[in-house]
Amino acid sequence: MSEQVERSFQKQDAVFLNAKSVTKKNNRWYKDIGLGFKTPTEAIQGTYIDKKCPFTGNVSIRGRILTGTVSSVKMKRTVIVRREYLHYITKYQRYEKRHKNIAAHLSPAFIGVKAGDTVTVGQCRPLSKTVRFNVIKHAPKQTKGSKKFQTF
């Protein structure tokens, strides 16, 4: 059981583990979050336990749906999403660039999220002091043209 890395025993709330019959079937609980977003196959077939995951945990997505670029993946199961926008200055009749950083929970269902990738986050209940969003879709960074040797 590789998912048992915490001090307390990790299990899904909706799954009863002490059944008397020995039938071995997939006892994994998952849900469709709705809003046109598909449940990842890793959430259906994986073995991870995450109570803050929108697909396998006790978190519902409601409120805002935002898109941004991942700027940091240094925290455990948390990413920083940067959203850039233009702000209009009336006096000079021009725009200036501004940005906001959003901390979002990254479920283990999304494997290989790196800085520069585009993610879609959905608002949920507060998961910690700063985290109020959950990653619900991941799109890898698109490499253009001949510059493909960026990481050495």
Side-chain angles (χ1 to χ4, degrees):
M1 295 183 106
S2 62
E3 63 271 356
Q4 300 297 335
V5 294
E6 305 293 330
R7 286 182 180 225
S8 61
F9 182 71
Q10 301 293 307
K11 72 177 202 69
Q12 288 184 309
D13 289 334
V15 177
F16 183 65
L17 298 175
N18 295 328
K20 293 185 176 165
S21 62
V22 190
T23 58
K24 185 65 180 171
K25 61 178 181 177
N26 191 6
N27 281 341
R28 186 153 180 86
W29 181 85
Y30 61 92
K31 67 178 178 179
D32 179 23
I33 62 168
L35 304 169
F37 293 101
K38 290 184 155 258
T39 304
T41 55
E42 181 63 27
I44 299 169
Q45 299 169 353
T47 58
Y48 70 88
I49 306 292
D50 185 12
K51 65 180 183 178
K52 296 178 182 179
C53 174
F55 306 104
T56 62
N58 188 19
V59 175
S60 61
I61 302 298
R62 80 286 190 279
R64 297 186 180 269
I65 305 292
L66 306 173
T67 304
T69 307
V70 176
S71 63
S72 172
V73 290
K74 295 178 182 177
M75 291 177 277
K76 179 182 176 184
R77 293 188 180 178
T78 305
V79 294
I80 300 297
V81 179
R82 181 182 173 109
R83 299 192 68 234
E84 296 178 347
Y85 59 94
L86 295 175
H87 179 254
Y88 184 70
I89 306 297
T90 312
K91 180 179 178 182
Y92 300 110
Q93 297 179 0
R94 282 166 173 73
Y95 292 92
E96 68 180 4
K97 282 186 181 179
R98 290 190 179 182
H99 78 275
K100 294 281 186 198
N101 286 338
I102 299 171
H105 180 75
L106 180 67
S107 169
F110 299 104
I111 300 171
V113 175
K114 301 184 294 289
D117 292 354
T118 302
V119 294
T120 302
V121 295
Q123 190 177 7
C124 59
R125 64 177 170 83
L127 301 175
S128 69
K129 179 182 174 183
T130 57
V131 178
R132 275 99 175 97
F133 286 87
N134 228 315
V135 175
I136 54 179
K137 189 176 177 186
H138 168 238
K141 184 179 181 181
Q142 305 284 327
T143 57
K144 300 177 191 173
S146 61
K147 292 188 179 181
K148 296 185 180 175
F149 302 105
Q150 294 179 354
T151 57
F152 275 99

